[in-house]
Amino acid sequence: MTKEKVMELSATDKLLKKYVPMTETAFYILLSLTKPRHGYGIIKHVEELSNGRIKLGSGTVYGTLTKMNKDGLITVYADEERKTVYKVSESGKKVMTVEISRLKELYRNAVACEEDFL
């Protein structure tokens, strides 16, 4: 294994420790960035995805975007007319893949044990 590959694994491990399990807010923001979007676009997309259950505040969205951009989970796609457009990075895709696997396991186990609570 090359030195660069070892360093990349280490950086990914740090991101996984920091972001998995993911908050619902971080999950939906990252999920929204499979397509490039600006902050307001993310707010509207999350509201649609959650059928209005989740209404993110702009301070929450921009604070999370700043943190994710600093950590390399997202990148700036375009910066135009006072709107910064973001998209998920390769590191963000890796973190999201692990989180989705974790959520699938939770779902399978919840369904398997659901009758015990009825």
Side-chain angles (χ1 to χ4, degrees):
M1 190 177 295
T2 65
K3 184 178 178 180
E4 289 81 20
K5 192 71 174 172
V6 170
M7 290 177 67
E8 181 184 316
L9 286 175
S10 178
T12 300
D13 288 345
K14 287 179 184 173
L15 286 174
L16 290 173
K17 280 185 179 180
K18 189 171 185 176
Y19 283 96
V20 177
M22 199 173 281
T23 65
E24 193 171 20
T25 298
F27 178 82
Y28 273 112
I29 288 173
L30 207 52
L31 193 65
S32 296
L33 293 176
T34 52
K35 289 184 179 179
R37 286 191 166 90
H38 52 74
Y40 185 70
I42 293 168
I43 291 169
K44 297 311 291 176
H45 187 249
V46 170
E47 195 172 330
E48 281 178 35
L49 275 177
S50 68
N51 293 320
R53 183 178 63 86
I54 300 173
K55 295 178 182 174
L56 298 174
S58 58
T60 299
V61 170
Y62 289 108
T64 304
L65 288 172
T66 299
K67 182 179 167 193
M68 287 180 167
N69 191 31
K70 181 180 167 192
D71 291 337
L73 292 183
I74 61 173
T75 59
V76 173
Y77 179 77
D79 206 353
E80 52 196 38
E81 295 183 29
R82 298 175 26 197
K83 287 185 181 178
T84 303
V85 179
Y86 299 93
K87 70 174 189 173
V88 68
S89 70
E90 288 304 314
S91 294
K93 288 179 182 178
K94 288 177 187 171
V95 169
M96 198 60 165
T97 299
V98 171
E99 179 65 357
I100 288 171
S101 292
R102 187 186 75 79
L103 293 172
K104 283 180 177 178
E105 179 188 318
L106 287 174
Y107 176 76
R108 281 192 308 271
N109 290 332
V111 169
C113 297
E114 184 179 16
E115 286 188 22
D116 296 340
F117 293 94
L118 298 177

